[in-house]
Amino acid sequence: MLGSLSALGALGALTACAAPAGDGLDAAGSPVARYDWDPGSGGDAALMEGTLALRDGCLYIVGEGDADGLTVVPVLSRELAAWDATAEVLTYAGRDYAMGDTVFAGGGWGAPTPDMTIPDACVPDEWGEVMHVQDVDLEPYAG
């Protein structure tokens, strides 16, 4: 990928915190793409780095330093994510992230799959791919 959307080494096994029940993630109009991922199952070896942005009803990651504003749809773990529509705040693994915050996550790119819930407003990247997040937090990777 371009800019700071780059591949890095495999991620280590980590522990997870569950999102609170009734979190707005699956509410009508939720901008968060999501899927069922078991944190104990490991993950792919790519790293996504960028800034959270809410655009036209979809949560995107905008690549840091990318002059063209390269964007990706992060597909987040249903178990770890929550969405507050009023405050426009993503909670992931118990930590809050506002629009404009820089985030990092391991995972992999691929076409959306039937087990993913992708909001209609979300547009995959120019290759038709989304980033399935396979990480238990959105903080810098401390390899």
Side-chain angles (χ1 to χ4, degrees):
M1 300 296 296
L2 302 172
S4 60
L5 298 174
S6 59
L8 291 183
L11 300 173
L14 302 171
T15 60
C17 300
D23 57 34
L25 188 66
D26 287 317
S30 171
V32 181
R34 57 238 184 241
Y35 75 126
D36 294 319
W37 173 67
D38 174 10
S41 67
D44 290 325
L47 177 68
M48 167 194 65
E49 175 183 353
T51 303
L52 282 177
L54 188 60
R55 295 184 177 169
D56 301 322
C58 183
L59 182 69
Y60 289 98
I61 303 296
V62 179
E64 293 290 319
D66 288 322
D68 63 355
L70 181 66
T71 60
V72 64
V73 175
V75 185
L76 302 170
S77 167
R78 280 187 180 93
E79 180 180 339
L80 300 174
W83 175 249
D84 181 333
T86 303
E88 295 184 346
V89 169
L90 172 71
T91 301
Y92 196 78
R95 184 173 291 199
D96 291 341
Y97 299 91
M99 299 306 99
D101 285 353
T102 299
V103 295
F104 304 77
W109 275 268
T113 62
D115 65 326
M116 295 177 177
T117 302
I118 310 290
D120 291 338
C122 293
V123 179
D125 66 18
E126 62 187 273
W127 300 278
E129 297 180 331
V130 295
M131 202 271 193
H132 47 274
V133 173
Q134 296 173 326
D135 210 335
V136 296
D137 64 38
L138 299 178
E139 295 301 302
Y141 180 59

